[in-house]
Amino acid sequence: MSERIVLASDHGGLELKKELVEGLREGGYTVFDIGTHTTESTDYPDYAHQAVRGMLEGSYDRCILVCGTGVGMAMTANRHRGARAVNCSDVFTARYSRAHNDSNVLCLGGRVVGFGLAWEIVKTWLTTPFGGDKRHIRRVNKIESE
């Protein structure tokens, strides 16, 4: 079974999200695009909350959230216990957010990164496993304890 990835964006991340949805489907992922689907102004927290709740309830394995900068989506996602969201604009951070922090929500800025870089970030994030070293497990457990 392929990994179930939910994507959501506000109007500022719509174009990048659409490109990522297409690329992920072509890559064999099971993709759920929960919106937005228009350029009308929307509120990113509405989409972030819906996507993260679905992931935490088991409907999806991981989330990719896109707004203008990625910041608002990450702040909203991290309000949920069990979500470990990273706002990412480089491949190094994508890799280590998975390997060391077991991130399960990737946030991108549609006005910050172009599709080429965003696609490399997404591929890296999706294919990098959590390292599982004792020190990283201890730290992730501390994140989840508060």
Side-chain angles (χ1 to χ4, degrees):
M1 179 176 105
S2 75
E3 196 165 15
R4 299 164 301 159
I5 310 297
V6 62
L7 284 90
S9 73
D10 68 356
H11 58 284
L14 175 63
E15 292 307 314
L16 179 57
K17 182 199 61 159
K18 288 185 341 188
E19 292 180 15
L20 293 173
V21 165
E22 183 178 319
L24 288 166
R25 286 185 175 145
E26 288 174 5
Y29 289 93
T30 302
V31 177
F32 301 87
D33 179 355
I34 62 169
T36 192
H37 301 289
T38 72
T39 57
E40 276 185 49
S41 181
T42 58
D43 296 333
Y44 59 83
D46 299 337
Y47 294 97
H49 287 309
Q50 181 182 351
V52 171
R53 280 189 200 111
M55 180 192 70
L56 295 172
E57 292 167 357
S59 297
Y60 318 114
D61 299 306
R62 288 196 256 177
C63 298
I64 299 174
L65 306 175
V66 189
C67 64
T69 62
V71 173
M73 288 290 203
M75 292 172 72
T76 304
N78 280 322
R79 300 282 299 160
H80 294 264
R81 177 179 229 114
R84 290 176 304 282
V86 59
N87 185 19
C88 203
S89 58
D90 64 89
V91 173
F92 183 87
T93 302
R95 180 175 297 113
Y96 284 93
S97 76
R98 288 287 307 133
H100 290 187
N101 310 112
D102 199 18
S103 64
N104 53 10
V105 181
L106 175 64
C107 301
L108 298 166
R111 296 177 178 152
V112 176
V113 296
F115 175 70
L117 176 56
W119 184 240
E120 290 303 314
I121 291 168
V122 167
K123 287 191 310 185
T124 300
W125 186 75
L126 287 173
T127 59
T128 301
F130 177 52
D133 294 350
K134 286 182 183 180
R135 71 182 192 270
H136 300 308
I137 292 170
R138 180 181 69 247
R139 292 169 186 159
V140 169
N141 288 337
K142 286 182 177 186
I143 292 170
E144 297 300 326
S145 70
E146 288 296 318

